[in-house]
Amino acid sequence: MTEKSRTVSLTKRGFNFDTFMWAFVRLSALAMYLCAFIGLGGALIMGARTQMNLADIMRWMFMPNPNHVLNTNIPDIAPWTTVFWKIMGSAIVLFATSHGLYGLLSVLEDYLTEPRLRRAMRILFVLLTAVMMAIGVYIMWTS
Amino acid sequence: MQVTLKISRYNPEVDKTFHYETYTLEAEPTDRVLDVLERIKGQYDGTLSFRRSCAHGICGSDAMRINGRNMLACKTLIRDVGEKITVEPVLGLRIIKDLIVDMEPFFDNYKKVLPYFINDSPLPEDGKERLQSPEARLRFDDTTKCILCGACTTSCPSFWASDEYLGPAALVNAHRFIFDDRDQAAAERLQIVNDVVGVWRCHTIFNCTVACPREIQITKAIGELKMALETGKLD
């Protein structure tokens, strides 16, 4: 028998918020790893290996903010404060908060059965996430 | 050997809530929990209520919680569960009496995924059967084994939280037809399971896979449904 490939188009199988978020949480997790490894690589290139302890490197990896190199022996922090690192830090903030938001919304779905309370909590979580995103990005670009 | 069974009892005409009653009796290590329950009902307490039918792991009637885990009483040997055995009804469904639960919400969810073969095209020229390659048959072989006992769905915390969730058993049966290349309603079924109370409610807890007495890789099957929704590919 001849086998033919079976596919179902997006319009026929449907696409909704959860279909998007399932892919997004996986890709955003990978993106956060990528950002962290870029942070680690950048830190080592900029002299972290001999001038920073492991804790400082780890903090830089997951939040590349120049405040994390102020207390080290690095004499010149100019390379640590470029626009590139601000974009990298902002990307981690945005990926982490949106990734975590979907987790929180899933917990609400599982544990809150009262529809109005669930809707109210969803709105509260989305607003809190937006505020945390704004604070995180603000810090990235002003410190 | 002597075994002690602590059985959850509930009579809606008398009890406000369930309570436990304990029975001690002789049993062989190779007896099944169902054999012991039958003996209790026949010789000690005729009011004990539980479902059973084929008693050979095929009909799926006697799913219950044995020592805290969902199992079929007819497939569980005494030697595998010890001398002290706690028997309770499955979770997430209303108890009707003792170990009998109301399976209607379970079957309502099952019916939602159109669990039957749909193909409106004319029959083949010989008028007999729609042939399928062994490889194509193998694609959904695992999910054909479901006996609708409900052990998976009633072990799922997402189902405990909300019986709106289709549950693992319904999704397994959706998988069985969606990946059958003779069937023509895959898109319709994918739309049904593509919902916050469909596949997306599964958080890969794996309780269902552990509970399945037919050893179906349920979480894997649900994962395949998710991938089908993301990519549209059914091969």
Side-chain angles (χ1 to χ4, degrees):
Chain A
M1 289 180 72
T2 54
E3 298 286 333
K4 60 177 181 181
S5 180
R6 293 174 75 221
T7 54
V8 181
S9 68
L10 192 63
T11 48
K12 283 188 176 173
R13 68 182 189 267
F15 187 81
N16 54 35
F17 177 69
D18 293 286
T19 320
F20 171 76
M21 287 308 290
W22 187 84
F24 178 77
V25 289
R26 277 145 189 85
L27 294 175
S28 59
L30 290 174
M32 281 189 280
Y33 275 116
L34 180 67
C35 289
F37 280 116
I38 290 173
L40 175 65
L44 293 176
I45 290 167
M46 291 187 292
R49 191 172 64 84
T50 55
Q51 291 163 307
M52 281 170 86
N53 61 35
L54 182 63
D56 286 332
I57 294 177
M58 294 290 282
R59 281 194 293 163
W60 172 265
M61 268 176 72
F62 292 102
M63 193 51 65
N65 183 297
N67 284 327
H68 292 161
V69 293
L70 286 180
N71 298 326
T72 65
N73 296 323
I74 288 172
D76 176 19
I77 63 165
W80 303 77
T81 58
T82 61
V83 171
F84 173 77
W85 290 116
K86 288 177 179 176
I87 292 172
M88 285 294 297
S90 303
I92 290 186
V93 167
L94 297 175
F95 281 133
T97 46
S98 52
H99 181 97
L101 173 65
Y102 188 63
L104 282 172
L105 295 180
S106 300
V107 171
L108 285 185
E109 287 292 329
D110 283 351
Y111 291 100
L112 278 189
T113 51
E114 210 283 305
R116 276 188 302 181
L117 182 59
R118 186 192 274 174
R119 197 178 316 120
M121 292 299 284
R122 282 176 82 101
I123 292 168
L124 179 66
F125 280 179
V126 170
L127 288 176
L128 280 175
T129 305
V131 169
M132 283 192 290
M133 277 180 179
I135 292 172
V137 173
Y138 176 78
I139 289 170
M140 279 292 159
W141 288 86
T142 55
S143 62
Chain B
M1 65 187 286
Q2 197 168 55
V3 292
T4 303
L5 272 81
K6 186 175 144 191
I7 302 177
S8 174
R9 302 295 308 269
Y10 170 69
N11 180 350
E13 292 174 359
V14 180
D15 302 322
K16 284 187 178 168
T17 184
F18 71 94
H19 63 279
Y20 290 97
E21 285 182 19
T22 303
Y23 305 87
T24 301
L25 64 162
E26 285 294 320
E28 295 295 326
T30 51
D31 278 346
R32 303 163 305 168
V33 172
L34 182 64
D35 297 324
V36 180
L37 290 174
E38 296 270 26
R39 211 170 304 145
I40 291 170
K41 185 172 177 66
Q43 298 174 12
Y44 295 82
D45 186 348
T47 66
L48 177 63
S49 301
F50 53 90
R51 283 197 183 100
R52 56 92 78 200
S53 185
C54 78
H56 287 82
I58 296 299
C59 72
S61 301
D62 61 349
M64 52 188 75
R65 251 182 323 148
I66 300 170
N67 288 350
R69 292 176 69 165
N70 282 6
M71 301 178 184
L72 293 185
C74 62
K75 284 188 79 175
T76 306
L77 298 180
I78 295 295
R79 70 180 178 204
D80 294 333
V81 288
E83 295 166 8
K84 293 194 173 172
I85 305 163
T86 303
V87 183
E88 298 158 304
V90 291
L91 294 172
L93 294 170
R94 183 179 65 87
I95 301 171
I96 295 173
K97 187 171 188 287
D98 295 341
L99 304 175
I100 298 174
V101 294
D102 178 8
M103 295 291 282
E104 282 308 314
F106 172 82
F107 285 111
D108 287 344
N109 286 339
Y110 169 65
K111 288 170 200 161
K112 283 178 191 165
V113 301
L114 314 176
Y116 40 82
F117 186 72
I118 298 174
N119 188 333
D120 296 329
S121 63
L123 281 171
E125 286 179 5
D126 64 4
K128 288 183 179 171
E129 58 184 314
R130 300 173 198 278
L131 294 177
Q132 184 172 47
S133 71
E135 293 76 25
R137 173 64 177 74
L138 202 58
R139 182 68 187 84
F140 59 96
D141 183 69
D142 199 35
T143 46
T144 62
K145 296 187 294 185
C146 180
I147 55 173
L148 295 172
C149 64
C152 57
T153 296
T154 55
S155 72
C156 175
S158 295
F159 182 75
W160 298 340
S162 165
D163 59 11
E164 287 174 78
Y165 172 42
L166 288 175
L171 295 173
V172 157
N173 283 278
H175 180 285
R176 182 256 172 269
F177 290 102
I178 285 170
F179 289 94
D180 185 338
D181 66 353
R182 301 164 301 175
D183 187 273
Q184 293 180 334
E188 199 177 341
R189 287 193 196 89
L190 282 174
Q191 284 204 357
I192 292 166
V193 302
N194 187 11
D195 194 282
V196 68
V197 292
V199 289
W200 308 119
R201 201 61 178 268
C202 168
H203 306 317
T204 56
I205 296 163
F206 280 88
N207 276 14
C208 53
T209 305
V210 173
C212 180
R214 305 285 292 171
E215 297 178 359
I216 300 171
Q217 298 297 306
I218 300 173
T219 314
K220 183 182 172 209
I222 297 173
E224 288 174 355
L225 288 175
K226 289 174 180 172
M227 283 306 290
L229 285 167
E230 295 293 340
T231 65
K233 291 180 181 169
L234 301 180
D235 297 319

